[in-house]
Amino acid sequence: MEVPEFMRVMTLESAKQPLVYKTVPVPRPSAQEVLIKIIACGVCRTDLHIVDGELTEPKLPLIPGHEITGIVVKSGSEVRELKEGDTVGVPWLGYTCGKCHYCINGHENLCENAKFTGYTIDGGYAEYAVAHQHYCFPLDPQYANPSGAPLLCAGLIGYRSYGKISGEANRIGLYGFGGAAHILTQVAVAQGKEIYAFTSPGDTAAQRLAKKLGAIWAGDSTHPSPVRLDAAIIFAPVGNLVPKALTDTDKGGAVICGGIHMSDIPGFPYRMLWEERMITSVANLTRRDGEEFLKLAPEIPVHTETKLYKLEQANEALGDLRNGRINGAAVLSIA
Ligand SMILES: [Zn+2]
Ligand SMILES: [Zn+2]
């Protein structure tokens, strides 16, 4: 396929500064990489943590974005399973070493030498990106458009968080109802679970969306849960929600923190944790999570609620995400 010499991108030049719109050479794929013409790239809260300097080790300058859908337009000399014209998704996990203790034991999400798309390698706020052949997922054609982008992180992280909950758990609380929660609700409801959606106080748009997607109850996160929950997943980056979710959770229940960054968790009395309640976090993803979830999503089928922006509007999209002005997920529609 015809590939131009230059492409438009949004780059982070230094933390706490707006992204810069510019033109750079289209990258060349190395032997193990494919070059992808980007259809769309989701805007994730993690991007906001990177831009705001809360995640402190980005490559600079950096092209952010780790929820990429696109089409393979060129392959490196050692690429075997992908070919030109294939529709692929590129997630946050961009590379693992395969050799460290974590990789060998099936926990590649914790790899000591991992690289991350849109953080330590360039991502999808661009017209083209390169990605390692073994870290792209084939994508169902129904998601070869902006609606597919949020599956690549919001969908995957929600799914990994959901996997931490015991199969018997039936009443599940979701705290923070954005990209991840609106996808996970569809999966959980299809599997017969009861979803209780806790949103920022007064966010009636998110509460309406939760109910539309099948949540049994939706309300302010300051409100006590109407039932004792079997498990809770916190997607909002708000440490205060940890003791709140523990209070809402029944004996033996788990509270799962689904974000990469959270404000400090305040102290709380031990009796709130007592009776075998658990707190855990979810870090990154494994390729197995991706394969499982991207097979499941079209079967349900998962539909995403998106607010679309042009590439050059990435700063606006980040600002809207920061200020809670997005119902569902923000996506840069690029091609
Ligand atoms: Zn490793
Ligand atoms: Zn993300």
Side-chain angles (χ1 to χ4, degrees):
M1 268 179 226
E2 198 73 15
V3 177
E5 208 174 324
F6 294 94
M7 64 176 185
R8 300 176 302 125
V9 300
M10 293 294 286
T11 61
L12 178 69
E13 305 284 319
S14 64
K16 300 179 189 168
Q17 296 298 318
L19 304 182
V20 179
Y21 182 55
K22 63 183 190 187
T23 300
V24 301
V26 172
R28 288 162 190 266
S30 68
Q32 292 285 344
E33 289 176 332
V34 288
L35 177 68
I36 295 162
K37 180 171 167 56
I38 298 175
I39 296 169
C41 184
V43 176
C44 173
R45 186 163 288 280
T46 298
D47 302 340
L48 209 48
H49 295 313
I50 295 168
V51 172
D52 289 348
E54 288 158 338
L55 297 180
T56 56
E57 286 164 15
K59 81 178 267 292
L60 288 175
L62 168 73
I63 301 172
H66 56 269
E67 300 184 294
I68 301 172
T69 60
I71 293 170
V72 174
V73 290
K74 209 179 215 179
S75 299
S77 58
E78 290 169 30
V79 171
R80 295 290 170 261
E81 277 149 46
L82 295 170
K83 56 183 191 312
E84 278 185 30
D86 284 356
T87 307
V88 290
V90 182
W92 169 249
L93 188 73
Y95 171 81
T96 57
C97 73
K99 292 175 188 151
C100 73
H101 166 74
Y102 302 99
C103 282
I104 288 168
N105 291 297
H107 305 294
E108 67 177 1
N109 59 310
L110 303 176
C111 173
E112 295 278 16
N113 305 299
K115 291 183 190 162
F116 300 108
T117 311
Y119 186 44
T120 52
I121 50 183
D122 279 332
Y125 289 15
E127 291 180 295
Y128 292 86
V130 288
H132 191 292
Q133 61 167 335
H134 295 146
Y135 297 83
C136 310
F137 300 116
L139 203 58
D140 191 279
Q142 70 171 284
Y143 295 124
N145 55 62
S147 80
L151 301 181
L152 272 304
C153 180
L156 276 172
I157 291 296
Y159 181 73
R160 186 170 177 84
S161 305
Y162 184 58
K164 296 272 177 190
I165 295 176
S166 102
E168 325 147 13
N170 190 44
R171 298 166 160 185
I172 299 170
L174 302 181
Y175 295 72
F177 203 88
H182 98 286
I183 294 173
L184 180 55
T185 295
Q186 298 173 54
V187 175
V189 167
Q191 296 180 346
K193 308 290 185 187
E194 292 179 7
I195 292 293
Y196 297 80
F198 297 83
T199 73
S200 307
D203 190 350
T204 51
Q207 291 167 12
R208 270 198 305 275
L209 177 60
K211 290 228 181 97
K212 186 179 107 182
L213 297 173
I216 206 159
W217 179 91
D220 294 355
S221 62
T222 47
H223 194 285
S225 177
V227 297
R228 287 288 224 173
L229 301 169
D230 299 321
I233 303 175
I234 303 176
F235 291 118
V238 180
N240 287 330
L241 289 173
V242 173
K244 166 64 167 70
L246 274 175
T247 308
D248 290 339
T249 301
D250 204 356
K251 291 189 264 191
V255 172
I256 292 124
C257 302
I260 193 167
H261 176 84
M262 188 181 249
S263 56
D264 287 351
I265 300 169
F268 54 87
Y270 175 63
R271 65 178 155 73
M272 288 166 66
L273 186 64
W274 162 242
E275 295 169 325
E276 303 199 344
R277 290 178 183 83
M278 289 163 277
I279 304 173
T280 188
S281 68
V282 160
N284 313 317
L285 68 137
T286 63
R287 283 172 282 176
R288 194 167 155 196
D289 296 328
E291 284 152 17
E292 285 178 10
F293 175 68
L294 292 172
K295 183 171 176 290
L296 183 62
E299 287 168 13
I300 287 185
V302 169
H303 295 287
T304 60
E305 196 80 23
T306 55
K307 183 167 180 187
L308 300 184
Y309 299 83
K310 293 179 186 156
L311 174 63
E312 56 270 36
Q313 293 174 311
N315 287 314
E316 194 184 311
L318 288 165
D320 286 351
L321 185 59
R322 179 182 284 110
N323 296 315
R325 285 195 290 258
I326 289 163
N327 207 21
V331 176
L332 306 181
S333 179
I334 296 169

